[in-house]
């Protein structure tokens, strides 16, 4: 039996018997360092991956950017059919000769109704009544004018007549007849130039094809 003083034991003596020795424990702070380093590496990896995703999305990368939820992609055939349905659903526009227009003057200036009616007749419109506006509108129309008709005329006749006086307000009332009114307001100077009115009518008759998503695809 011998007496040994292992290093680091502060000078204390220990009795060693058999094969048992005093065990030296490793400092625990090494394990904490390893765990901290592993967690930091994972966090950096996640940050890097997230940054790449943001770059793909905001950089317009088609391979990684995802379509917005709820958006449905259409094939070319589906898009064309959708446009055809939208085009067929549009109300066909009447020709000027199919419209009877009452030209009514709501201003104190004399002669406006007759002169305007004569010009509309030259452009192919049928002319009905020509005279002063009724009390509900007389001296009360501040803009260039009003095109007025039945509710059924809103999508066709009133739009066609409206091309002849840009800036005119479109309104409907409870009338039963097909006649439509052009009420001249205090801001009136003249009808739209004939060539410009013709272009406007053409655009109404043949509007540009809408995008597929607007056509219901």
């Amino acid at each position: 039996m011998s007496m040994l003083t292992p290093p680091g034991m502060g000078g204390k003596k220990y009795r060693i018997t058999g094969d048992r020795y005093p065990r030296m424990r490793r400092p625990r702070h090494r394990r904490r360092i390893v765990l901290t380093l592993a967690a930091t590496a994972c966090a950096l990896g996640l940050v890097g991956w997230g940054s790449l995703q943001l770059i793909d999305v905001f950089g317009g990368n088609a391979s990684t950017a995802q379509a917005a939820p709820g958006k449905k992609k259409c094939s070319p055939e589906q898009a064309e059919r959708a446009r055809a349905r939208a085009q067929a659903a549009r109300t066909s526009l009447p020709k000027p000769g199919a419209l009877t227009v009452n030209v009514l003057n709501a201003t104190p200036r004399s002669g406006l109704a007759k002169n305007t009616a004569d010009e509309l007749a030259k452009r192919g419109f049928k002319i009905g009544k020509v005279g002063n506006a009724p009390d509900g509108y007389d001296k009360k129309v501040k803009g260039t004018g009003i095109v007025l008709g039945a509710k059924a005329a809103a999508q066709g006749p009133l739009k066609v007549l409206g091309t002849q006086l840009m800036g005119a307000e479109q309104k409907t009332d409870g009338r039963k007849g097909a006649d439509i009114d052009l009420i001249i307001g205090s801001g009136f100077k003249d009808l739209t130039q004939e060539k410009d009115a013709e272009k406007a009518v053409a655009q109404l008759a043949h509007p540009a094809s809408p995008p597929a998503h607007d056509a219901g695809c």
Side-chain angles (χ1 to χ4, degrees), residues 138-149:
D138 192 27
K139 313 295 189 303
K140 299 176 182 178
V141 180
K142 303 299 182 183
T144 58
I146 296 174
V147 289
L148 179 66

Side-chain angles (χ1 to χ4, degrees), residues 157-197:
L158 294 186
K159 289 184 179 296
V160 172
L161 182 58
T163 62
Q164 309 302 309
L165 181 58
M166 291 301 179
E169 181 182 1
Q170 179 178 312
K171 298 179 67 174
T172 60
D173 57 17
R175 70 181 66 190
K176 301 299 181 182
D179 290 8
I180 53 179
D181 300 340
L182 175 59
I183 304 175
I184 300 172
S186 59
F188 176 86
K189 293 182 179 180
D190 203 349
L191 291 175
T192 303
Q193 292 292 322
E194 187 172 3
K195 62 179 181 180
D196 294 332

Side-chain angles (χ1 to χ4, degrees), residues 6 23-25 35 53 56 63 90 116 125 127 143 156 164 179 184 197 205 213-214 217:
R23 295 184 179 181
M24 303 294 293
R25 292 184 180 181
L35 293 176
Q53 295 300 311
D56 286 343
S63 62
R90 292 187 178 92
T116 303
F125 291 88
I127 304 301
Q164 309 302 309
D179 290 8
I184 300 172
H213 58 82
D214 291 339
C217 180

Side-chain angles (χ1 to χ4, degrees):
M1 182 180 301
S2 63
M3 301 297 292
L4 297 177
T5 304
M9 291 300 181
K12 293 182 180 180
K13 296 181 179 180
Y14 292 84
R15 186 182 301 275
I16 301 175
T17 58
D19 58 355
R20 292 189 175 184
Y21 297 89
R23 295 184 179 181
M24 303 294 293
R25 292 184 180 181
R26 294 181 179 179
R28 294 183 180 180
H29 64 274
R30 290 185 180 179
R31 183 180 301 175
R32 293 179 183 175
I33 293 174
V34 172
L35 293 176
T36 301
L37 290 175
T40 302
C42 291
L44 291 175
L46 290 174
V47 170
W49 180 82
S51 299
L52 289 175
Q53 295 300 311
L54 290 175
I55 292 172
D56 286 343
V57 170
F58 291 102
N61 192 328
S63 62
T64 56
Q66 298 181 353
K71 292 291 185 182
K72 181 182 177 182
K73 292 184 178 180
C74 298
S75 67
E77 294 79 9
Q78 290 174 323
E80 186 60 32
R81 287 196 295 268
R83 292 190 185 96
R85 289 195 301 268
Q87 184 70 29
R90 292 187 178 92
T91 305
S92 58
L93 297 174
K95 299 293 184 181
L99 302 178
T100 300
V101 181
N102 303 316
V103 183
L104 308 174
N105 186 4
T107 77
R109 292 177 285 169
S110 62
L112 286 183
K114 184 180 185 306
N115 293 338
T116 303
D118 291 344
E119 181 60 31
L120 288 175
K122 292 178 183 178
R123 300 183 184 187
F125 291 88
K126 292 181 180 179
I127 304 301
K129 300 176 182 178
V130 178
N132 294 326
D135 292 340
Y137 292 98
D138 192 27
K139 313 295 189 303
K140 299 176 182 178
V141 180
K142 303 299 182 183
T144 58
I146 296 174
V147 289
L148 179 66
K151 293 180 179 179
Q155 297 304 316
L158 294 186
K159 289 184 179 296
V160 172
L161 182 58
T163 62
Q164 309 302 309
L165 181 58
M166 291 301 179
E169 181 182 1
Q170 179 178 312
K171 298 179 67 174
T172 60
D173 57 17
R175 70 181 66 190
K176 301 299 181 182
D179 290 8
I180 53 179
D181 300 340
L182 175 59
I183 304 175
I184 300 172
S186 59
F188 176 86
K189 293 182 179 180
D190 203 349
L191 291 175
T192 303
Q193 292 292 322
E194 187 172 3
K195 62 179 181 180
D196 294 332
E198 290 175 352
K199 289 180 181 179
V201 171
Q203 289 176 354
L204 285 175
H206 303 286
S209 297
H213 58 82
D214 291 339
C217 180

